Amino acid sequence: MLKSPLPTRDDIDPVAPTPGAAAATPGARFAARPDIPLYYQIKEDVFLHLRSGQWPPGFELPPEHALCAHYGVSRGTLRRAIGDLVSEGFVERRRGRGTFVCQPKLESGVEGSYRRFRMIGPPLDPGARVLACERVAALPDIAGVLGLAPDAPIWQLERVRHTRGEPVAIQTSYLPAALCPDLDHQALQHRHLVDVLRDVYGVRLGRAVEYIDPGVADRHIVRHLGVTPTTPVFRIERSTYTIDNRLAEYRRASLRGDLYRYRIELR
Amino acid sequence: MLKSPLPTRDDIDPVAPTPGAAAATPGARFAARPDIPLYYQIKEDVFLHLRSGQWPPGFELPPEHALCAHYGVSRGTLRRAIGDLVSEGFVERRRGRGTFVCQPKLESGVEGSYRRFRMIGPPLDPGARVLACERVAALPDIAGVLGLAPDAPIWQLERVRHTRGEPVAIQTSYLPAALCPDLDHQALQHRHLVDVLRDVYGVRLGRAVEYIDPGVADRHIVRHLGVTPTTPVFRIERSTYTIDNRLAEYRRASLRGDLYRYRIELR
DNA sequence: GAGTGGTCTAGACCACGTT
DNA sequence: ACGTGGTCTAGACCACTCA
């Protein structure tokens, strides 16, 4: 797509002008393909320079006005292209300094680069077998987790989730009773908790934070999930918040590790 | 921040004009605070309408020109505000149709909404104890995984990683020998594999895909990590690709589950 | 002071979906 | 035909960084 080499820093550096290099793009025009957004073509072109190693990590990109001239586009279009590369984590803008190629984050430490994850496995059946659904006074520990006063009324829920009729997970949930004064056993057998909260109580859930540990099936899990005592499980701890950021549910769950796994794409 | 209610669909609907509602924002001006980008203030204001439930999931936002008029900004600024909400997953634009509030994805099934994850735990020491570093002919299975012909030369690496001098993970790696003809035992004891690949062989790593399962320490792990036979571990399977998308390393690892956990933020 | 990126405007034309 | 969002322009002024 690119008909001419991109400008180097030297091409536009007034301190050390290199006429030869500058002459490498004399009156160069960017050969844009129709029906493809310009910003996208530019982004791809710049990205190729990163992949090819011509613009290595730490490299300072030519300033925006130089790239505008090179590609023959307005600054808005150029900034959209570079902005997409920024949000994908490939380049970094520093106000007053310039735009730089990021260091690859992969494997640089324990802190994983983010990307996206998903749980891999067969879909859970809707509803659950409700082992317990009790309104109790919060013990100090759980009150602390939920951010409530000790003895505040809470709902304590224990459910077994199924996949194709087979039990695969046990979930213990704690919810402030103020959020949903009269939870119904029956409703939860066929509906997601999130749906009951929304439709019955007008509670909308927003973000959640989940911690995942490896574990081994204990007696409780063995009994309810019908697995052997050495089956590996995921121990999942989740805090779910309402859209106005109140803690709506604290949940601990065990999920069969022989049926489910996590998949994470790293950059 | 908002001095007047945002326009409703009715306010700008030519089919069903509601003069009363329209009069609710007569000559309304958006009270912008200085030193905060306009697009950011607008984004926050619109976001509040989502959180408050005034614009519920599925709701069609007023058209851009109406929002421009309401906030008294140009279309570029308005689009930047809405665009940020789009990339955060709160609203969705449909060309020719309009802009709509997204349905909350949380808990709607087994497929997790993505957000970001990180490994939680103390940082790994650089380098590793290299148990094995052998150049061998690929067995059919591993050749298949690496996308090589059977008997193609590969490097087979076994390393123990440490944290504060204590062994916490075992990693078995397979790499096409073509990528790095003469891997050095010594170099790997003090440097990250990724650094050796880059600095010695000019191989740059890009994306990676990781699968995570729960497991229990086996004899091999017990011996090298010094844990008891029932310690839960993460079984991590990772394929790492070069920036030009060739498979550079296939790795299986076991990581002490009593020291590390995953943290995932869901939307 | 010179150069960089950050923000913002007021237009324009287009592609798409609905009516 | 009309209204929607998608793209793009050619300016402008500002804040920040560095020499």
Side-chain angles (χ1 to χ4, degrees):
Chain A
M1 180 182 72
L2 182 63
K3 290 300 179 62
S4 64
L6 277 166
T8 66
R9 295 298 307 175
D10 283 347
D11 288 342
I12 51 88
D13 187 350
V15 178
T18 54
T25 64
R29 282 284 153 259
F30 177 70
R33 287 163 53 184
D35 295 333
I36 300 180
L38 264 176
Y39 72 83
Y40 183 81
Q41 298 185 54
I42 293 169
K43 175 195 144 193
E44 290 301 296
D45 191 59
V46 171
F47 180 71
L48 277 183
H49 276 69
L50 308 187
R51 299 259 273 203
S52 70
Q54 295 180 60
W55 287 358
F59 180 83
E60 181 180 355
L61 271 62
E64 294 178 346
H65 70 81
L67 290 173
C68 289
H70 173 75
Y71 288 112
V73 298
S74 71
R75 197 166 161 228
T77 301
L78 188 275
R79 275 183 64 81
R80 162 101 198 235
I82 301 299
D84 284 357
L85 289 174
V86 168
S87 58
E88 288 171 25
F90 293 112
V91 303
E92 179 187 12
R93 289 200 267 231
R94 299 183 209 155
R95 164 129 93 173
R97 300 271 318 274
T99 305
F100 301 83
V101 179
C102 286
Q103 298 292 331
K105 297 285 194 305
L106 204 56
E107 302 206 28
S108 57
V110 157
E111 308 251 321
S113 315
Y114 74 92
R115 192 63 180 201
R116 40 179 80 222
F117 83 93
R118 66 199 301 192
M119 183 93 86
I120 301 294
L124 286 182
D125 301 339
R129 190 157 71 88
V130 181
L131 300 182
C133 179
E134 298 163 359
R135 186 192 173 102
V136 300
L139 295 175
D141 283 354
I142 190 64
V145 169
L146 290 176
L148 302 174
D151 295 324
I154 62 170
W155 284 99
Q156 192 163 331
L157 260 175
E158 184 149 13
R159 294 175 295 164
V160 177
R161 302 296 302 271
H162 296 74
T163 290
R164 304 192 203 106
E166 191 183 5
V168 298
I170 297 183
Q171 302 175 336
T172 304
S173 299
Y174 304 88
L175 301 88
L179 214 61
C180 41
D182 51 343
L183 263 190
D184 184 3
H185 276 65
Q186 310 300 328
L188 291 174
Q189 290 181 11
H190 306 290
R191 305 174 68 190
H192 288 296
L193 174 60
V194 62
D195 294 332
V196 173
L197 286 178
R198 185 187 59 236
D199 299 341
V200 180
Y201 302 100
V203 173
R204 298 180 181 283
L205 301 184
R207 70 186 183 91
V209 178
E210 198 168 277
Y211 291 92
I212 300 168
D213 296 281
V216 186
D218 56 28
R219 276 193 301 278
H220 192 226
I221 296 173
V222 166
R223 173 169 43 196
H224 285 106
L225 301 191
V227 295
T228 68
T230 58
T231 302
V233 297
F234 284 112
R235 304 280 190 178
I236 302 170
E237 197 179 327
R238 180 192 280 195
S239 299
T240 307
Y241 298 82
T242 64
I243 52 174
D244 51 351
N245 224 25
R246 290 173 297 157
L247 183 53
E249 181 197 9
Y250 169 72
R251 172 199 294 183
R252 291 197 303 133
S254 296
L255 176 71
R256 282 181 61 174
D258 54 342
L259 293 177
Y260 291 90
R261 63 194 324 204
Y262 280 90
R263 175 194 154 100
I264 298 181
E265 293 175 36
L266 303 102
R267 170 172 55 77
Chain B
M1 181 182 73
L2 182 64
K3 289 300 181 61
S4 64
L6 276 166
T8 66
R9 294 297 307 172
D10 283 348
D11 288 340
I12 52 89
D13 187 349
V15 178
T18 53
T25 65
R29 281 285 154 257
F30 176 70
R33 284 163 55 184
D35 295 331
I36 299 179
L38 264 176
Y39 72 84
Y40 183 81
Q41 299 186 54
I42 293 169
K43 175 196 144 195
E44 290 301 295
D45 191 61
V46 171
F47 181 70
L48 276 183
H49 276 70
L50 309 186
R51 299 259 273 207
S52 70
Q54 294 180 61
W55 287 358
F59 180 83
E60 180 179 356
L61 270 61
E64 293 178 347
H65 71 82
L67 290 174
C68 289
H70 173 75
Y71 288 110
V73 298
S74 70
R75 196 166 162 229
T77 300
L78 188 276
R79 274 183 64 80
R80 163 102 197 236
I82 301 300
D84 284 357
L85 289 173
V86 168
S87 58
E88 289 172 25
F90 293 112
V91 303
E92 179 187 14
R93 288 201 268 231
R94 299 182 207 155
R95 167 131 95 175
R97 300 272 316 277
T99 304
F100 301 84
V101 180
C102 286
Q103 298 292 331
K105 298 285 195 305
L106 204 54
E107 301 206 27
S108 56
V110 159
E111 309 250 321
S113 316
Y114 72 93
R115 190 67 178 206
R116 38 180 80 223
F117 81 93
R118 63 198 306 191
M119 184 93 86
I120 302 292
L124 285 182
D125 300 339
R129 191 157 69 88
V130 180
L131 300 182
C133 179
E134 298 164 359
R135 187 190 172 103
V136 299
L139 295 175
D141 283 354
I142 189 64
V145 169
L146 289 177
L148 302 173
D151 295 325
I154 62 170
W155 284 99
Q156 193 163 329
L157 259 175
E158 185 149 12
R159 294 175 294 164
V160 177
R161 303 294 304 271
H162 296 73
T163 291
R164 303 191 204 108
E166 191 183 5
V168 298
I170 297 183
Q171 302 175 336
T172 305
S173 300
Y174 305 89
L175 301 86
L179 215 60
C180 41
D182 51 344
L183 262 190
D184 184 3
H185 277 63
Q186 311 301 328
L188 291 173
Q189 291 181 10
H190 306 289
R191 304 173 66 190
H192 287 296
L193 175 60
V194 62
D195 293 332
V196 172
L197 287 177
R198 185 188 59 235
D199 298 341
V200 180
Y201 302 101
V203 173
R204 296 180 182 283
L205 300 183
R207 69 186 184 92
V209 178
E210 198 167 278
Y211 291 92
I212 300 167
D213 296 282
V216 185
D218 56 27
R219 274 193 301 277
H220 192 225
I221 296 175
V222 167
R223 174 168 43 197
H224 286 106
L225 300 191
V227 296
T228 68
T230 56
T231 301
V233 296
F234 284 113
R235 305 281 191 178
I236 302 170
E237 196 179 328
R238 180 193 281 196
S239 299
T240 307
Y241 299 82
T242 63
I243 51 175
D244 51 351
N245 225 25
R246 290 173 297 157
L247 184 53
E249 181 198 9
Y250 170 72
R251 170 199 295 183
R252 291 198 303 134
S254 295
L255 176 71
R256 282 181 60 174
D258 55 342
L259 292 178
Y260 291 91
R261 62 193 326 202
Y262 281 90
R263 175 194 154 99
I264 298 180
E265 292 175 37
L266 303 101
R267 173 170 54 77

